[in-house]
Amino acid sequence: MNSPESAENSAPLCSAKGCRADAVWVLAWNNPKLHTPERRKTWLACEEHREHLSSFLGVRGFLKDVVTLAEWESRPTSP
């Protein structure tokens, strides 16, 4: 069952473990061993966790792009 608190806060949340802060950044990534080159998976990050999550993906060679959530949402969708 959804709590009233979760219904009130429908803003996207940071993907960092245990973080409940609103997301500000989108980290687009893919694992070349599993995904086609054009495929993009996403993690969301608050200001505090953007660098940590980017570093985690970057060390593995997975990070492809970091943009603001507003910019990501305004991108046209593919047909």
Side-chain angles (χ1 to χ4, degrees):
M1 178 186 273
N2 290 334
S3 69
E5 180 181 62
S6 65
E8 291 174 15
N9 185 9
S10 60
L13 299 178
C14 179
S15 298
K17 185 176 181 178
C19 185
R20 306 310 301 157
D22 289 347
V24 179
W25 297 95
V26 175
L27 288 65
W29 63 277
N30 86 7
N31 179 339
K33 292 182 180 179
L34 301 176
H35 307 120
T36 58
E38 66 279 354
R39 173 107 186 256
R40 292 294 180 266
K41 307 272 292 174
T42 57
W43 281 357
L44 302 177
C46 64
E47 286 291 344
E48 180 181 351
H49 292 111
R50 181 188 61 82
E51 187 61 37
H52 172 73
L53 294 173
S54 294
S55 177
F56 180 89
L57 292 168
V59 165
R60 289 156 180 80
F62 295 173
L63 187 62
K64 302 300 179 192
D65 200 8
V66 178
V67 297
T68 65
L69 180 59
E71 182 181 343
W72 185 265
E73 290 176 335
S74 69
R75 290 181 174 185
T77 57
S78 301

